[in-house]
Amino acid sequence: MEDDDFIYPPDLLGSIDFEKEHIATYDPQLSLPNPGPNLVVRPLRRSDYDKGYMDLLLSALYVRDQGITQQEFEDRFDRMKASGGSYIITVIEDTSTKKIVGNAVLHVELKFLQPSVKRPFRRHRSFRKIQRTAARKTFDGCDDHSV
């Protein structure tokens, strides 16, 4: 297949030094070139709609929804790809079933404030207070058997 079919250039994955970046060890050893039997790690393709990509996403949401149509998927794929590398969507395909079984998304968002600083997103203090209050209200109604 042509590289046009991918949401980002496949050689980007090849540029990652996984020996340097790994934080876990596996037995048997797993790596990008060898993610496991019948598995391949690669960028998302336009044709992945037919390989169950939407089913995978919907199953993670625990909802019974049809998702989007193939045309909507392809339109969104084209817009994401045209964003200039803002969407790094990587999938794991089971080559024996020809189905997408894993997904990872990195969205690169440009900021106007603090352009040279790279740090995790921080929420405003008042938002964190709202989160804590909501969490207390949620857990106050639970007993030991419902957790």
Side-chain angles (χ1 to χ4, degrees):
M1 297 218 167
E2 297 181 24
D3 284 354
D4 288 3
D5 193 38
F6 294 107
I7 199 159
Y8 66 87
D11 58 342
L12 182 63
L13 284 173
S15 68
I16 300 171
D17 182 358
F18 283 91
E19 290 298 317
K20 177 182 169 193
E21 300 296 333
H22 81 282
I23 54 176
T25 57
Y26 301 95
D27 185 19
Q29 187 168 348
L30 301 175
S31 64
L32 181 66
N34 182 29
N38 301 319
L39 299 176
V40 63
V41 177
R42 61 170 175 76
L44 180 71
R45 282 188 166 140
R46 289 178 60 91
S47 58
D48 286 337
Y49 184 89
D50 291 330
K51 293 187 176 186
Y53 183 68
M54 289 306 303
D55 295 334
L56 175 74
L57 294 181
L58 290 170
S59 71
L61 296 175
Y62 304 105
V63 295
R64 296 194 185 272
D65 191 350
Q66 296 301 313
I68 60 176
T69 66
Q70 184 166 357
Q71 184 61 50
E72 290 170 320
F73 175 84
E74 290 178 5
D75 291 346
R76 233 167 260 180
F77 179 95
D78 292 337
R79 289 177 62 199
M80 288 176 166
K81 183 174 181 174
S83 71
S86 292
Y87 294 90
I88 309 296
I89 304 175
T90 305
V91 298
I92 302 173
E93 180 182 353
D94 183 334
T95 57
S96 65
T97 63
K98 306 258 189 275
K99 292 290 184 189
I100 302 300
V101 297
N103 174 59
V105 178
L106 171 65
H107 177 73
V108 179
E109 182 180 13
L110 300 175
K111 302 280 188 181
F112 285 106
L113 298 176
Q114 305 162 337
S116 63
V117 177
K118 293 183 180 181
R119 65 181 180 168
F121 172 74
R122 292 183 185 249
R123 293 183 176 101
H124 190 272
R125 281 189 298 262
S126 62
F127 183 76
R128 287 195 301 267
K129 183 178 179 183
I130 292 167
Q131 279 184 315
R132 285 193 303 271
T133 304
R136 269 197 306 276
K137 287 181 181 178
T138 301
F139 290 111
D140 284 346
C142 296
D143 57 20
D144 292 337
H145 300 290
S146 62
V147 176

